[in-house]
Amino acid sequence: KVCDILCEKISGSVAERERAEAEKNLLMQDKQLTGLILEKEGVQAEYPCRNVIFAIGHSARDTFYMLHERELSMNPKAFAIGVRVEHLAHLINESQYGEGYPEEVPTASYKLTHQCKGTGRGIYSFCMCPGGYVVNSSSEKGRLCVNGMSYHDRAGHNSNTALITTVTPDDFPSDSPLAGLEFQRKYEELAYKIGNGKIPVQLFGDFLKNQMSTKLGNVTPSIKGEWQFANLHECLPDYVCASLEEGMRAFGHKIKGYDAEDTVFSGVETRTSSPLRMERNKQFESKNDMFNYIIDVAKLDCIYLQRYFCVYKRRTIVYNTTECTLGVFLVLDFVRRFREYIGLKRRKFYE
């Protein structure tokens, strides 16, 4: 029986020895995957399979390198980088609800996009966090990147979002499938350097002047992790800086006060999506028939599960390898929706 195994046992690892162990878990023959070795309660067992879904997210760099060494077909792809931008939550609420809005309304969110005339690139808000915090999301020694989060009550003093602009393989240092990953690492290393290991922060007014900030305005950074003032021009490409300047001015016409000089920038945001793609054909099979697409677990939704898992087309059995029992892999915030999806579409799984 051919089984698709949802494999989180060989996901990305920060330890080289675990990466080596992951390689041993792959059973190969003539450069084709024939099975996996998985462990439960200290006992190893072989699972024959033709396809594997690596639910590892977009930053499992060790696994990317391991799969590249195993000659998996992959190509660099476009993604986006930029900074986190913080405003007072009250400012965003007023822009969305109007002056004198009732306190009972939820903290407001927004989405902004702009096509820059100067650089020819798009700039847009991403992963907006109402009443949230900027967090240090670094995963490698000597490199630094940021992300955003909100607690359930969204009661933080500031609201933040990523403002990011697109970068393409033409911007990468080489034609290697891993060139986008190295591009990310370059600017994460610069961010770590200019912030002395802390999150580098700069006010928008000083960003326009290409100078390091020395004091705050009305906005006090809501940051999980240490931060210090720095000049973010030193850890971003020139075209990204130019896009940020033009984009902020454009967004200031949509949200009053958005481009205030005391708006807080923090950097760098580089992990917006995967910097590489595992190529597949129209039947959603990998070119070398070794592995299925690497997908970002954080963005799995019912449509993605139906399309990429292809369970309903292949009469596939999906294993939850965490418990090594038959079942499905329930992911993050989509647990409830996936259960509903299974209930409504159960028959199609076996058609």
Side-chain angles (χ1 to χ4, degrees):
K1 181 184 294 185
V2 176
C3 299
D4 281 14
I5 298 181
L6 181 60
C7 180
E8 61 178 1
K9 283 288 185 180
I10 47 179
S11 61
S13 168
V14 296
E16 286 295 326
R17 64 177 182 275
E18 292 187 19
R19 175 184 167 191
E21 287 297 319
E23 293 188 42
K24 296 178 183 178
N25 287 350
L26 303 179
L27 299 177
M28 308 287 295
Q29 184 175 357
D30 298 328
K31 296 184 179 180
Q32 300 294 311
L33 180 72
T34 60
L36 298 174
I37 300 176
L38 302 177
E39 183 176 319
K40 180 185 179 182
E41 297 178 354
V43 178
Q44 290 188 340
E46 292 187 7
Y47 291 84
C49 60
R50 180 173 60 87
N51 303 301
V52 176
I53 297 171
F54 283 82
I56 58 177
H58 57 48
S59 296
R61 291 171 172 174
D62 284 345
T63 305
F64 289 161
Y65 274 99
M66 182 268 288
L67 296 178
H68 181 60
E69 292 169 0
R70 290 299 188 100
E71 300 182 0
L72 174 64
S73 177
M74 60 178 69
N75 288 307
K77 77 169 191 58
F79 58 100
I81 68 171
V83 298
R84 278 276 149 184
V85 180
E86 291 188 79
H87 297 89
L88 293 175
H90 175 69
L91 173 73
I92 304 303
N93 288 346
E94 279 197 341
S95 74
Q96 302 295 70
Y97 298 131
E99 295 183 4
Y101 61 89
E103 295 183 359
E104 293 78 14
V105 298
T107 309
S109 61
Y110 62 84
K111 293 182 179 179
L112 295 169
T113 62
H114 175 70
Q115 186 66 30
C116 296
K117 297 179 180 179
T119 63
R121 300 171 187 259
I123 184 169
Y124 54 97
S125 62
F126 174 78
C127 189
M128 194 269 162
C129 302
Y133 301 85
V134 175
V135 296
N136 187 330
S137 57
S138 307
S139 61
E140 294 179 322
K141 185 177 181 179
R143 300 185 178 101
L144 187 146
C145 61
V146 295
N147 208 324
M149 57 159 277
S150 296
Y151 289 118
H152 178 73
D153 58 8
R154 297 184 171 184
H157 193 60
N158 295 343
S159 290
N160 75 78
T161 186
L163 279 190
I164 52 177
T165 190
T166 304
V167 294
T168 71
D170 291 336
D171 301 310
F172 300 163
S174 71
D175 295 329
S176 167
L178 303 174
L181 192 154
E182 296 305 321
F183 181 91
Q184 289 177 324
R185 282 177 163 172
K186 172 184 176 180
Y187 292 102
E188 291 173 11
E189 288 173 4
L190 291 173
Y192 185 91
K193 180 180 178 180
I194 69 170
N196 294 316
K198 302 175 184 178
I199 295 175
V201 166
Q202 186 177 25
L203 303 191
F204 176 55
D206 294 315
F207 185 83
L208 291 173
K209 300 173 184 176
N210 195 5
Q211 66 182 25
M212 185 175 71
S213 299
T214 57
K215 62 180 181 179
L216 298 171
N218 293 325
V219 184
T220 299
S222 294
I223 293 178
K224 298 291 185 179
E226 296 184 349
W227 62 271
Q228 76 170 42
F229 287 125
N231 184 356
L232 293 175
H233 280 265
E234 297 176 7
C235 64
L236 290 168
D238 291 341
Y239 50 83
V240 173
C241 294
S243 296
L244 285 168
E245 292 176 10
E246 182 178 336
M248 285 290 293
R249 292 304 192 198
F251 299 151
H253 294 294
K254 298 179 180 180
I255 296 179
K256 184 178 180 181
Y258 197 89
D259 58 345
E261 292 194 351
D262 63 350
T263 300
V264 174
F265 281 8
S266 54
V268 290
E269 178 110 5
T270 55
R271 310 289 183 89
T272 53
S273 65
S274 177
L276 57 85
R277 174 181 290 116
M278 307 295 170
E279 295 296 340
R280 299 197 301 176
N281 60 24
K282 293 182 180 179
Q283 285 72 45
F284 304 106
E285 296 171 342
S286 61
K287 282 186 175 180
N288 53 11
D289 211 16
M290 251 178 79
F291 301 100
N292 277 348
Y293 231 84
I294 285 184
I295 31 185
D296 183 352
V297 172
K299 296 179 182 177
L300 284 176
D301 206 345
C302 298
I303 295 175
Y304 287 109
L305 290 168
Q306 183 182 26
R307 179 180 178 188
Y308 290 114
F309 285 20
C310 299
V311 179
Y312 68 102
K313 288 184 178 179
R314 298 184 179 180
R315 299 182 182 180
T316 298
I317 297 175
V318 180
Y319 282 93
N320 180 345
T321 55
T322 304
E323 301 294 337
C324 290
T325 58
L326 280 171
V328 292
F329 187 58
L330 306 181
V331 192
L332 300 177
D333 298 334
F334 301 107
V335 171
R336 176 183 57 81
R337 279 185 285 176
F338 186 50
R339 283 175 175 168
E340 292 175 355
Y341 174 78
I342 291 295
L344 293 172
K345 303 294 183 179
R346 186 179 299 275
R347 291 183 181 179
K348 289 189 176 181
F349 272 67
Y350 303 99
E351 291 178 355

